[in-house]
């Protein structure tokens, strides 16, 4: 979804730094990134699947509210935006 609005992770940029950089567009991205990394590394303190899905929904909602409408439209039209995702 971030690639659709023209925000990609830079080369060499960690997931955590990227999440902090996109805070203006999606403030919940840091929490979602931390939950994702904790799950990927086997932490049991992350919470339920429903909580994880709620964070993802919140990020989607924030992008819908904060990303410029023209940029979102261009992202929907561009069938290749997902290729820029890292």
């Amino acid at each position: 979804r971030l690639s659709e609005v023209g925000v990609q992770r830079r080369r060499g940029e960690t997931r955590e730094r990227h999440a902090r950089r996109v805070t203006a567009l999606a403030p919940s991205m840091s929490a979602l990134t931390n939950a994702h990394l904790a799950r990927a590394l086997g932490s049991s303190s992350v919470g339920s699947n429903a909580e994880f899905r709620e964070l993802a929904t919140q990020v989607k909602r924030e992008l819908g509210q904060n990303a410029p409408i023209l940029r979102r439209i261009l992202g929907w039209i561009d069938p290749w935006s997902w290729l820029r995702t890292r």
Side-chain angles (χ1 to χ4, degrees), residues 19-66:
R20 284 191 304 270
R21 186 169 56 86
V22 301
T23 298
L25 283 176
S28 298
M29 187 65 182
S30 286
L32 179 62
T33 299
N34 291 336
H36 165 73
L37 291 174
R39 282 181 167 222
L41 297 174
S43 176
S44 60
S45 65
V46 174
S48 69
N49 287 339
E51 291 170 344
F52 192 79
R53 281 192 299 275
E54 178 55 37
L55 277 172
T57 301
Q58 181 65 27
V59 168
K60 180 181 174 182
R61 189 176 313 124
E62 291 166 354
L63 283 174
Q65 294 170 349
N66 299 328

Side-chain angles (χ1 to χ4, degrees), residues 7-25:
V7 180
Q8 293 87 26
R9 196 161 56 114
R10 297 174 182 152
R11 291 201 185 279
E13 185 175 40
T14 64
R15 287 172 173 81
E16 296 94 333
R17 181 172 288 194
H18 174 67
R20 284 191 304 270
R21 186 169 56 86
V22 301
T23 298
L25 283 176

